Amino acid sequence: MKQPRVVAMEEGAEPVSATKTSLSRAFPSRILVVCLLFLFLGIGLSIIGMYSVRFSMIPQIAAKASSTVQPWFEDTTNTLENFIRPPSNLMHNMNDTELLWRASFVPQIKEYPFKRVPKIAFMFLTKGPLPLAPLWDRFFKGHEELYSIYVHALPSYTGGYPPSSVFYGRQIPSQIVEWGKMSMCEAERRLLANALLDISNERFILLSESCIPLYNFSIIYHYISGSKHSFMGSVDEPGRYGQQRYNRHMRPEITLSQWRKGSQWFEVNRKLAIDIIKDTTYYHKFKRFCRSACYVDEHYFPTMLTIQSPHLLANRTLTWTDWSRGGAHPATFGNADITESFFKRILEGQSCLYNGQPSTICYLFARKFAPSALDPLLGLAHKGDFWSYSQS
Ligand SMILES: *[C@@H]1O[C@H](CO)[C@@H](O)[C@H](O)[C@H]1NC(C)=O
Ligand SMILES: *[C@@H]1O[C@H](CO)[C@@H](O)[C@H](O)[C@H]1NC(C)=O
Ligand SMILES: *[C@@H]1O[C@H](CO)[C@@H](O)[C@H](O)[C@H]1NC(C)=O
């Protein structure tokens, strides 16, 4: 069986090669012409093809794409990176209902699938400008990864800050605030809600335009971040300015023994910030029954958080205020007051509990400072330590 096949193959090999050589010898130029013809035909066809695709098909595809999905270069909304990155523009057109709802989102998995550096949100509740801004600029310099700033000014205030300032572009959509009224707490909730939109913000501190820092950024950051408690002033104060502001109509949600008073200038962690912005129960009680001689901003958050999370509160504020001069308003300090001995007086002899241990650092901020205090304050503020008096 093998034999005839081998023979057949050998037989067939001979005439093929003979034909091939005789053909190439006989018509070499004709073959070249045929090849070139095919080549030009191929090029011609592909050029026509490209043109017809360009002028007829692509517009169809593009039209179809724009009517159904976003163009590829804008469709980045579904990345984790996009979700983590804080909004680049603080201005938005959400109203308070929408904003509070949006800000109340909480991840249910406790571990973050990315490196999260906890930041402190510094929230400034002001009427207009921040006269002490240059001092804060110096305070924040070099710590960009660890803080974010939010400013709620009255809507009528149209001034701004130079691009070199830490306050540049940090104003949030605001509304009218009547001091001591519910709108004050609404502004504070608006600040918290805007700050909650940045997932890196872990601690939230409320300040005013007349506040100054008492230590450098590093000390303040570590003091706040390292605290097991949030610094909400909360005391059960008898008398006219405390218990007598309570209204029995607040029962049963709020009883007299639960009624608290504290400084408006608070610091809360992320959990408590969300508890504050999502509250409707206590909000409505205070809005209806804490009026005239009852100052909502001194009672609402201290009372509510003492009922809900007493174990998370330090029950003291971080902001030093001088009430020693008496009257309804605390002392304001100007140019002539700012000396090293003035700061020694504020800082020395303090004692309080920090994480359950005695501490001599109790206040991190102070108020109230007039615009005229700026120059002497800048004179005392040094790089590094920030304040010359805290070097000793
Ligand atoms: C915000 O807008 C929604 C939808 O239009 C509306 O239901 C809600 O009452 C508004 N909230 C405020 C505070 O205006
Ligand atoms: C703050 O006060 C509440 C009661 O009002 C108490 O339960 C809590 O332990 C206090 N916090 C500290 C740090 O002592
Ligand atoms: C902050 O102040 C403390 C104490 O005065 C000092 O030891 C520390 O170096 C300062 N931190 C920075 C970043 O300058």
Side-chain angles (χ1 to χ4, degrees):
M1 284 291 277
K2 268 185 178 176
Q3 200 66 1
R5 221 164 84 190
V6 172
V7 171
M9 279 173 84
E10 277 169 0
E11 277 171 355
E14 196 58 28
V16 167
S17 60
T19 325
K20 220 167 135 189
T21 43
S22 61
L23 263 172
S24 59
R25 257 190 231 121
F27 315 104
S29 57
R30 194 179 290 180
I31 286 172
L32 196 70
V33 166
V34 169
C35 282
L36 281 173
L37 243 159
F38 271 105
L39 188 68
F40 285 127
L41 194 71
I43 291 173
L45 276 173
S46 57
I47 288 174
I48 292 167
M50 275 161 67
Y51 270 86
S52 62
V53 162
R54 193 158 148 202
F55 291 118
S56 63
M57 286 177 76
I58 292 226
Q60 281 170 24
I61 293 167
K64 208 176 167 193
S66 64
S67 66
T68 51
V69 291
Q70 293 279 313
W72 62 271
F73 48 85
E74 282 176 22
D75 190 18
T76 50
T77 45
N78 245 352
T79 65
L80 184 65
E81 178 57 34
N82 244 32
F83 187 77
I84 299 165
R85 200 188 313 129
S88 56
N89 186 353
L90 292 188
M91 282 297 160
H92 54 72
N93 52 21
M94 287 184 273
N95 69 22
D96 279 359
T97 316
E98 295 162 338
L99 172 69
L100 296 181
W101 177 79
R102 171 66 189 88
S104 70
F105 286 22
V106 180
Q108 296 299 308
I109 295 180
K110 289 292 162 240
E111 212 164 292
Y112 293 91
F114 55 93
K115 187 171 180 288
R116 177 179 182 262
V117 179
K119 291 195 286 188
I120 298 183
F122 290 81
M123 310 179 300
F124 289 83
L125 182 59
T126 74
K127 291 181 174 134
L130 276 156
L132 305 176
L135 186 73
W136 287 104
D137 280 340
R138 196 176 291 193
F139 169 78
F140 286 116
K141 200 173 167 53
H143 304 281
E144 285 68 29
E145 305 296 303
L146 300 176
Y147 69 84
S148 34
I149 292 174
Y150 302 86
V151 182
H152 185 296
L154 293 180
S156 55
Y157 176 66
T158 52
Y161 303 91
S164 58
S165 169
V166 295
F167 297 100
Y168 179 72
R170 303 307 299 178
Q171 258 163 281
I172 63 160
S174 62
Q175 282 180 32
I176 293 186
V177 177
E178 279 185 80
W179 260 243
K181 302 273 176 61
M182 201 64 192
S183 65
M184 180 84 121
C185 290
E186 281 163 6
E188 293 169 10
R189 275 157 54 109
R190 203 172 293 126
L191 273 165
L192 283 171
N194 278 280
L196 279 165
L197 297 183
D198 182 345
I199 212 160
S200 298
N201 286 333
E202 184 56 36
R203 313 287 301 221
F204 303 78
I205 178 135
L206 183 71
L207 299 159
S208 79
E209 65 262 68
S210 66
C211 286
I212 63 160
L214 289 173
Y215 295 93
N216 67 22
F217 185 90
S218 314
I219 292 181
I220 289 183
Y221 180 85
H222 287 111
Y223 192 97
I224 294 177
S225 324
S227 173
K228 287 188 278 192
H229 304 106
S230 286
F231 298 94
M232 174 73 71
S234 177
V235 293
D236 183 5
E237 187 184 297
R240 201 147 67 93
Y241 305 113
Q243 288 174 0
Q244 282 179 31
R245 292 179 180 172
Y246 172 74
N247 184 328
R248 282 178 298 118
H249 290 106
M250 292 181 170
R251 284 183 305 195
E253 285 83 1
I254 307 161
T255 65
L256 177 61
S257 67
Q258 291 170 324
W259 182 251
R260 290 291 181 280
K261 181 182 177 178
S263 162
Q264 174 191 3
W265 311 104
F266 63 76
E267 182 282 326
V268 288
N269 68 11
R270 197 167 175 96
K271 182 217 176 315
L272 298 182
I274 291 166
D275 289 344
I276 287 174
I277 60 125
K278 78 176 186 194
D279 171 56
T280 50
T281 311
Y282 301 100
Y283 177 86
H284 289 297
K285 285 281 166 176
F286 275 90
K287 192 168 181 164
R288 270 191 81 185
F289 302 116
C290 180
R291 287 168 170 274
S292 60
C294 173
Y295 297 93
V296 198
D297 53 273
E298 291 182 342
H299 300 280
Y300 173 26
F301 301 149
T303 301
M304 183 196 120
L305 294 183
T306 294
I307 295 170
Q308 292 183 339
S309 310
H311 59 289
L312 293 181
L313 304 183
N315 303 320
R316 63 183 176 90
T317 178
L318 289 176
T319 306
W320 180 87
T321 310
D322 182 9
W323 292 98
S324 66
R325 294 184 192 178
H329 298 285
T332 299
F333 302 100
N335 193 319
D337 300 296
I338 311 304
T339 58
E340 287 197 27
S341 59
F342 169 78
F343 282 106
K344 284 210 166 73
R345 186 166 71 79
I346 295 181
L347 294 170
E348 280 173 5
Q350 302 287 353
S351 73
C352 54
L353 288 182
Y354 177 78
N355 285 341
Q357 302 295 317
S359 171
T360 53
I361 299 184
C362 303
Y363 295 110
L364 303 183
F365 306 94
R367 62 193 278 272
K368 303 171 70 161
F369 291 83
S372 70
L374 178 65
D375 282 342
L377 285 171
L378 284 174
L380 284 179
H382 294 262
K383 287 207 180 77
D385 273 349
F386 196 65
W387 295 113
S388 54
Y389 61 78
S390 59
Q391 281 173 329
S392 52

Short mmCIF file of all heavy atoms in Angstrom, two decimals, residues 93-99 175, ligand 1:
data_model
loop_
_atom_site.label_atom_id
_atom_site.label_comp_id
_atom_site.label_asym_id
_atom_site.label_seq_id
_atom_site.Cartn_x
_atom_site.Cartn_y
_atom_site.Cartn_z
N ASN A 93 -26.48 73.45 44.46
CA ASN A 93 -27.83 74.02 44.50
C ASN A 93 -28.82 73.14 45.25
O ASN A 93 -30.02 73.18 45.00
CB ASN A 93 -28.32 74.37 43.09
CG ASN A 93 -28.16 73.18 42.16
OD1 ASN A 93 -28.07 72.04 42.63
ND2 ASN A 93 -28.13 73.43 40.87
N MET A 94 -28.30 72.33 46.19
CA MET A 94 -29.20 71.55 47.04
C MET A 94 -29.84 72.48 48.07
O MET A 94 -29.14 73.32 48.65
CB MET A 94 -28.41 70.46 47.78
CG MET A 94 -27.97 69.31 46.90
SD MET A 94 -27.13 68.03 47.87
CE MET A 94 -25.44 68.62 47.88
N ASN A 95 -31.11 72.32 48.34
CA ASN A 95 -31.68 73.06 49.47
C ASN A 95 -31.41 72.26 50.75
O ASN A 95 -30.85 71.16 50.70
CB ASN A 95 -33.16 73.38 49.24
CG ASN A 95 -34.07 72.16 49.26
OD1 ASN A 95 -33.72 71.11 49.83
ND2 ASN A 95 -35.23 72.27 48.64
N ASP A 96 -31.79 72.79 51.92
CA ASP A 96 -31.41 72.14 53.18
C ASP A 96 -31.94 70.72 53.29
O ASP A 96 -31.24 69.83 53.77
CB ASP A 96 -31.89 72.99 54.37
CG ASP A 96 -30.93 74.14 54.66
OD1 ASP A 96 -29.91 74.25 53.94
OD2 ASP A 96 -31.20 74.92 55.59
N THR A 97 -33.17 70.49 52.85
CA THR A 97 -33.75 69.14 52.92
C THR A 97 -32.88 68.16 52.14
O THR A 97 -32.55 67.07 52.62
CB THR A 97 -35.16 69.14 52.30
OG1 THR A 97 -35.87 70.29 52.77
CG2 THR A 97 -35.92 67.89 52.66
N GLU A 98 -32.52 68.56 50.92
CA GLU A 98 -31.72 67.69 50.06
C GLU A 98 -30.31 67.51 50.62
O GLU A 98 -29.78 66.40 50.64
CB GLU A 98 -31.65 68.29 48.65
CG GLU A 98 -33.02 68.35 47.97
CD GLU A 98 -33.08 69.31 46.78
OE1 GLU A 98 -32.25 70.26 46.71
OE2 GLU A 98 -33.97 69.14 45.94
N LEU A 99 -29.73 68.62 51.10
CA LEU A 99 -28.36 68.57 51.63
C LEU A 99 -28.25 67.66 52.85
O LEU A 99 -27.36 66.81 52.93
CB LEU A 99 -27.91 69.99 52.00
CG LEU A 99 -26.58 70.11 52.75
CD1 LEU A 99 -25.41 69.75 51.85
CD2 LEU A 99 -26.41 71.52 53.31
N GLN A 175 -27.65 81.03 54.51
CA GLN A 175 -28.95 81.69 54.66
C GLN A 175 -28.89 82.66 55.82
O GLN A 175 -27.93 82.68 56.58
CB GLN A 175 -30.05 80.64 54.88
CG GLN A 175 -30.45 79.97 53.57
CD GLN A 175 -31.52 78.93 53.74
OE1 GLN A 175 -32.38 79.06 54.60
NE2 GLN A 175 -31.47 77.90 52.92
C1 LIG B 1 -36.27 71.30 48.90
O1 LIG B 1 -36.79 70.87 47.67
C2 LIG B 1 -37.69 69.77 47.75
C3 LIG B 1 -38.04 69.36 46.34
O2 LIG B 1 -38.42 70.47 45.58
C4 LIG B 1 -38.89 70.14 48.60
O3 LIG B 1 -39.74 69.03 48.75
C5 LIG B 1 -38.41 70.61 49.97
O4 LIG B 1 -39.50 71.05 50.75
C6 LIG B 1 -37.39 71.73 49.84
N1 LIG B 1 -36.87 72.04 51.15
C7 LIG B 1 -36.70 73.30 51.62
C8 LIG B 1 -36.12 73.45 52.98
O5 LIG B 1 -36.97 74.26 50.95
#
